[in-house]
């Protein structure tokens, strides 16, 4: 998730104002997200679908296709159909809707078609992954909270450690304010989350369900790395099209892509891993039960 990790002294006042906006927005958005994640079902799917449509719209705006209404509407309808299929627990149908949506967006997009198609793929991957992780009735909520916390602390740790220490830049050509210190700080914070999950594991008396510390640390490390790669990927896309923020929807954060870039990468990785271990209806269990 995009964040200024090193701010020049001359911009100190603006940085403090921006930080305050970030905190206020987080205090509103984080509890709402957790509450809807806990509720699951249609409430969570609705939130995820609206966010995915927002991601798709912002992507089109970044790549200069935001005024192509037939591309925008077609993609949004396809994302809604995917959501209906997921709500009915028809993962196969959601994948078919995804393929048809990709084809429709590609056919209707002006040349070059690659960027609008990539935007739909980005949004639908986030949508399907976010729903699949939560779909597991037993471990879904815990798995989703684990992913969310990893992404959040990676972002927060990177922000404060990067600002406090500074030092060499991580990838100055793409994200000139991100530092290696911030990346390491965010990574370390994710390992702390894994340690807390292990310490408060309610299944310690059951060897079959008990969390395994070393594997949980590896999972946290992978998700944290994915989150940071997702952040850099979004920065690279914006840099390609000379765009600073994906939008100004969220005070202090920019747009949905600016806020969710790390989460998209992390939750997609989590969904793939959980799917391989637990199947389509056991993604959460595949992530958390070893």
């Amino acid at each position: 998730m995009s964040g200024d990790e090193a701010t020049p002294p001359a911009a100190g006042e603006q940085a403090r104002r921006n930080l305050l906006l970030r905190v206020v927005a987080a205090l509103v958005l984080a509890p709402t997200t957790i509450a809807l994640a806990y509720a699951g079902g249609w409430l969570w799917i609705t939130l995820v679908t609206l966010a995915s449509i927002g991601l798709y719209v912002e992507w089109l705006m970044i790549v200069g296709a935001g005024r192509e209404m037939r591309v925008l509407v077609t993609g949004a309808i396809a994302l809604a159909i995917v959501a209906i299929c997921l709500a009915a627990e028809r993962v196969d149908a959601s994948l078919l809707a995804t393929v048809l949506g990709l084809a429709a967006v590609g056919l209707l997009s002006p040349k070059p078609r690659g960027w609008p198609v990539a935007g739909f793929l980005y949004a639908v991957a986030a949508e399907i992954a976010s729903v699949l992780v939560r779909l597991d009735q037993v471990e879904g909520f815990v798995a989703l909270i684990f992913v969310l916390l990893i992404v959040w602390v990676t972002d927060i740790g990177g922000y404060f450690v990067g600002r406090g220490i500074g030092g060499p830049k991580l990838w100055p050509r793409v994200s000139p304010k991100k530092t290696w210190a911030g990346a390491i700080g965010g990574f370390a914070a994710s390992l702390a989350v894994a340690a807390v999950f292990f310490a408060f594991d309610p299944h310690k008396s059951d060897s079959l369900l008990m969390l395994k510390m070393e594997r949980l640390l590896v999972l946290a490390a992978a998700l944290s790395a994915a989150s940071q790669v997702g952040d850099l990927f979004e920065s690279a896309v914006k840099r390609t099209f000379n765009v600073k923020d994906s939008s100004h929807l969220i005070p202090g954060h920019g747009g949905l892509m600016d806020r969710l870039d790390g989460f998209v990468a992390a939750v997609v990785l989590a969904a793939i891993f959980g799917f391989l271990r637990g199947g389509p209806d056991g993604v959460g269990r595949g992530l958390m039960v070893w």
Side-chain angles (χ1 to χ4, degrees), residues 45-189:
I45 292 174
T46 299
L47 175 65
V48 167
T49 304
L50 291 175
S52 299
I53 293 172
L55 288 173
Y56 177 62
V57 171
E58 287 188 356
W59 182 291
L60 292 181
M61 292 170 61
I62 289 173
V63 304
R67 295 186 178 182
E68 299 291 337
M69 291 305 298
R70 59 182 184 175
V71 178
L72 190 154
V73 172
T74 298
I77 292 173
L79 289 168
I81 293 172
V82 169
I84 293 170
C85 296
L86 291 171
E89 299 187 14
R90 291 295 306 274
V91 178
D92 54 346
S94 72
L95 294 178
L96 176 60
T98 296
V99 172
L100 294 175
L102 280 171
V105 168
L107 288 172
L108 295 174
S109 296
K111 294 181 180 180
R113 296 187 172 92
W115 284 107
V117 170
F120 179 79
L121 186 59
Y122 182 83
V124 78
E127 180 181 38
I128 293 175
S130 300
V131 173
L132 285 184
V133 171
R134 180 62 184 90
L135 196 60
D136 186 336
Q137 296 300 313
V138 178
E139 298 290 340
F141 175 67
V142 174
L144 182 58
I145 291 300
F146 183 77
V147 176
L148 284 168
L149 288 178
I150 291 296
V151 173
W152 289 343
V153 302
T154 296
D155 183 44
I156 294 168
Y159 182 89
F160 286 104
V161 174
R163 280 173 56 87
I165 297 177
K169 306 301 182 182
L170 182 61
W171 193 358
R173 188 167 62 86
V174 169
S175 188
K177 294 182 180 180
K178 295 190 181 302
T179 65
W180 278 102
I184 294 170
F187 185 81

Side-chain angles (χ1 to χ4, degrees), residues 161-246:
V161 174
R163 280 173 56 87
I165 297 177
K169 306 301 182 182
L170 182 61
W171 193 358
R173 188 167 62 86
V174 169
S175 188
K177 294 182 180 180
K178 295 190 181 302
T179 65
W180 278 102
I184 294 170
F187 185 81
S190 73
L191 300 183
V193 168
V196 170
F197 265 72
F198 177 76
F200 291 94
D201 180 14
H203 302 305
K204 285 187 175 179
S205 60
D206 188 337
S207 61
L208 295 177
L209 296 177
M210 185 176 69
L211 296 175
K212 308 299 189 294
M213 181 61 169
E214 67 281 1
R215 296 176 184 178
L216 204 61
L217 287 172
V218 171
L219 178 61
L223 294 178
S224 178
S227 175
Q228 299 196 50
V229 170
D231 189 343
L232 291 171
F233 170 74
E234 191 242 4
S235 295
V237 172
K238 291 190 299 184
R239 178 76 57 177
T240 299
F241 290 93
N242 249 351
V243 175
K244 184 177 185 299
D245 294 317
S246 59

